[in-house]
Amino acid sequence: MAKMWAGRFQKETDAVVNDFNSSVTFDSRMYREDIEGSLAHAAMLARQCIISSEDCRAITEGLAGVRADLDAGKIDLSPEAYEDIHMAVEEVLTERIGDAGKRLHTARSRNDQVALDMRLYTRKEILTIRALVLEFMRVLVQKAKENLHTVMPGYTHLQRAQPITFAHHLMAYCNMLRRDVTRLNDCLERMDECPLGSGALAGTTYPIDRAFTAERLGFNAPMDNSLDGVADRDYCIELCAALSVLMLHLSRLSEEVVAWCSWEFKFVELDDAYSTGSSIMPQKKNPDVCELIRGKTGRVYGSLTALLTLMKGLPLAYNKDMQEDKEAVFDAVDNVKMCLRVFAPMFETMTVLPENMKKAAYRGFINATDCADYLTKKGVPFRDAYKATGTLVARCIELGTTLDALPIEEYRAVSDVFEEDVYHAIDLNVCVAERRSLGGPAPEEVSRQITKIEGFIEHEA
Ligand code: ARG
């Protein structure tokens, strides 16, 4: 097909260049946004008497038809036919309605058009991702509620450290995800400005009404500088940064689930529907879902790095390099959505094995701090108490036993402050229940954390 710019040229575009230059294979996913923007633009042009109301009606009806045919997959969107989605919509429209279609691009450029489409698209996707994160938080909260009393070791350096509960552990992730939701909110708020009407870069001599289109398209305001309007991709970068942190959180949890369902831990068992087998080892049940989430995290970071690198050397305003923003954002968005959609039901159907968590808790001397605290509460300076407990732990290792089973004579040989009530003080359930400090693992304290997060989810949903 002859190019829209053919008048200026004496030769046709080289076929390889045509493919290279075209973005329709991937930007066609924004056709609804493109049409929405054109509808608002046409309405504004008519309102300002820049085009006639008859032309506006023809454009409006024509675009509805194009949208219906695109919905039905009736329009061939190959690079041979169209360069990008913006040209495709305009050309199809013009084929159908003639001159009115040719008037649509008055006082507009593809530069402000693509800037608008990307904003409309990312805004929609952010809302979807937010909802998926909130849904996943609901799953975590539910599991936390069922495991308020499920004692497990908390770790530092992947060494058993102090007693916590599974609920406490999950609520840590809920708080990370809460911040992820607020990061997405911030991104939405900052990108809530409309670039339409920036023109190619320098605005227009037509008496356009940018406030009208901004409002009609659901933006807070028009962007205040036309060069910025077409050159800015901050919001894409900000979105990919927010998604990278979100993926980082999903990846850490994935890593933990991988560990937890290994025979070394066996804290959880994944549902068959969410695990995979091995082609050679009949005994295997693999946490592929978690591993893929961990892997795809790298991909989302890749999008962020690509965008940062893409934009860093570009002079104002539009440069074709910026066409590369789309696949980076699309890939990040697609992968994050997929990860959340598979992770939530995987987590929901996962069986928690409290007995195994408890067994691990009993084996790691994770009540040693509580043993030292016992002495401290009886007046022994903490450093002396710490040393005495260290001696007891060494003695336990020597005897192949635990602090809970070590005879009282052994305790008294180290410090005569020890009495029978030490066994109560170092009982794991007591150790957890007594950790009532704000943010701690005591069941009533974790319940408070849960109530707070539930309030957040309700507020944001
Ligand atoms: N397909 C282009 C993109 O995605 C649309 C903008 C084209 N503008 C231009 N001046 N060539 O960036």
Side-chain angles (χ1 to χ4, degrees):
M1 188 186 292
K3 289 276 185 263
M4 149 275 300
W5 59 67
R8 162 76 175 77
F9 287 66
Q10 262 130 48
K11 273 192 189 172
E12 288 210 352
T13 314
D14 174 85
V16 178
V17 172
N18 191 67
D19 275 359
F20 185 63
N21 193 45
S22 168
S23 55
V24 74
T25 49
F26 51 85
D27 65 18
S28 57
R29 74 157 79 189
M30 302 193 299
Y31 75 86
R32 293 187 144 264
E33 288 74 22
D34 194 72
I35 290 171
E36 192 187 343
S38 290
L39 287 169
H41 183 64
M44 183 278 292
L45 290 178
R47 201 164 172 269
Q48 299 301 102
C49 301
I50 300 169
I51 62 170
S52 68
S53 50
E54 293 74 49
D55 280 345
C56 179
R57 200 169 316 118
I59 290 171
T60 306
E61 283 166 15
L63 285 173
V66 175
R67 182 166 51 200
D69 287 349
L70 282 167
D71 283 344
K74 285 191 194 153
I75 298 173
D76 168 31
L77 290 175
S78 65
E80 291 71 41
Y82 306 108
E83 182 185 334
D84 58 25
I85 190 59
H86 324 294
M87 296 312 306
V89 170
E90 188 185 327
E91 283 171 25
V92 174
L93 178 72
T94 302
E95 270 165 39
R96 295 181 180 188
I97 66 166
D99 282 356
K102 294 188 203 158
R103 295 205 173 94
L104 172 61
H105 212 53
T106 313
R108 184 177 77 170
S109 158
R110 269 190 299 164
N111 296 348
D112 57 346
Q113 201 177 347
V114 73
L116 171 68
D117 294 3
M118 264 309 262
R119 273 180 195 251
L120 291 173
Y121 175 83
T122 45
R123 183 173 72 182
K124 182 184 78 186
E125 293 295 352
I126 292 175
L127 293 175
T128 306
I129 292 171
R130 269 181 94 262
L132 289 169
V133 177
L134 291 169
E135 191 47 46
F136 186 42
M137 288 174 76
R138 277 193 201 100
V139 170
L140 292 178
V141 163
Q142 184 50 36
K143 274 267 179 290
K145 280 181 169 172
E146 292 159 13
N147 288 284
L148 278 171
H149 299 274
T150 305
V151 174
M152 69 180 271
Y155 296 81
T156 61
H157 315 271
L158 201 56
Q159 303 281 321
R160 293 170 196 164
Q162 289 183 336
I164 57 168
T165 63
F166 193 49
H168 189 225
H169 199 107
L170 295 183
M171 291 315 292
Y173 280 102
C174 270
N175 278 284
M176 298 176 215
L177 296 172
R178 171 179 59 79
R179 291 192 295 276
D180 289 322
V181 170
T182 59
R183 257 184 285 276
L184 292 172
N185 290 349
D186 291 348
C187 181
L188 266 181
E189 197 187 310
R190 249 185 304 282
M191 68 178 281
D192 195 12
E193 293 179 345
C194 184
L196 189 62
S198 298
L201 75 161
T204 177
T205 55
Y206 288 98
I208 59 170
D209 184 349
R210 295 194 53 210
F212 173 83
T213 41
E215 202 198 320
R216 178 163 282 214
L217 292 164
F219 288 99
N220 192 28
M223 290 182 78
D224 213 33
N225 179 291
S226 62
L227 278 166
D228 183 38
V230 290
D232 166 46
R233 295 294 183 274
D234 299 5
Y235 62 97
C236 296
I237 294 173
E238 203 174 339
L239 171 59
C240 284
L243 295 182
S244 292
V245 180
L246 167 61
M247 286 301 292
L248 160 78
H249 294 149
L250 299 186
S251 183
R252 288 185 80 171
L253 182 52
S254 295
E255 166 63 15
E256 299 210 283
V257 175
V258 169
W260 291 340
C261 61
S262 73
W263 283 107
E264 280 67 18
F265 282 79
K266 258 300 163 242
F267 286 0
V268 299
E269 173 93 33
L270 295 181
D271 190 87
D272 283 1
Y274 292 93
S275 350
T276 43
S278 155
S279 64
I280 173 170
M281 296 166 281
Q283 83 283 11
K284 291 296 282 292
K285 185 168 169 186
N286 295 330
D288 286 27
V289 165
C290 300
E291 293 165 58
L292 268 174
I293 291 172
R294 215 170 48 187
K296 283 174 187 294
T297 302
R299 239 174 121 129
V300 176
Y301 294 178
S303 286
L304 174 60
T305 312
L307 287 172
L308 287 167
T309 314
L310 173 66
M311 296 303 293
K312 76 186 249 301
L314 298 188
L316 298 188
Y318 179 83
N319 301 267
K320 190 72 172 213
D321 316 43
M322 287 153 76
Q323 181 164 285
E324 292 286 311
D325 64 352
K326 278 161 217 74
E327 285 162 296
V329 171
F330 296 166
D331 192 74
V333 161
D334 288 348
N335 279 287
V336 167
K337 286 194 299 189
M338 229 180 337
C339 289
L340 287 164
R341 283 191 177 124
V342 71
F343 208 13
M346 189 211 79
F347 219 87
E348 196 167 21
T349 54
M350 175 180 94
T351 308
V352 179
L353 302 169
E355 282 309 310
N356 292 349
M357 291 186 181
K358 200 196 287 169
K359 259 187 244 154
Y362 273 105
R363 279 195 303 257
F365 300 105
I366 61 177
N367 46 5
T369 313
D370 302 87
C371 181
D373 285 344
Y374 167 90
L375 289 177
T376 309
K377 283 173 191 161
K378 296 203 172 197
V380 179
F382 182 75
R383 276 293 157 234
D384 295 337
Y386 171 96
K387 201 168 155 202
T389 308
T391 309
L392 288 170
V393 168
R395 184 72 181 134
C396 285
I397 293 169
E398 199 182 325
L399 298 173
T401 186
T402 64
L403 286 171
D404 312 73
L406 190 70
I408 191 67
E409 297 73 47
E410 295 282 352
Y411 278 95
R412 296 190 58 82
V414 171
S415 164
D416 58 10
V417 179
F418 281 116
E419 290 173 65
E420 278 292 334
D421 60 353
V422 68
Y423 296 108
H424 175 76
I426 62 166
D427 177 273
L428 285 183
N429 292 314
V430 175
C431 296
V432 166
E434 292 294 313
R435 293 183 133 76
R436 272 186 232 101
S437 55
L438 189 101
E444 76 260 29
E445 171 50 26
V446 175
S447 290
R448 184 199 60 78
Q449 297 168 32
I450 288 175
T451 307
K452 196 166 165 186
I453 287 287
E454 281 183 324
F456 173 82
I457 296 172
E458 206 174 305
H459 177 261
E460 297 290 322

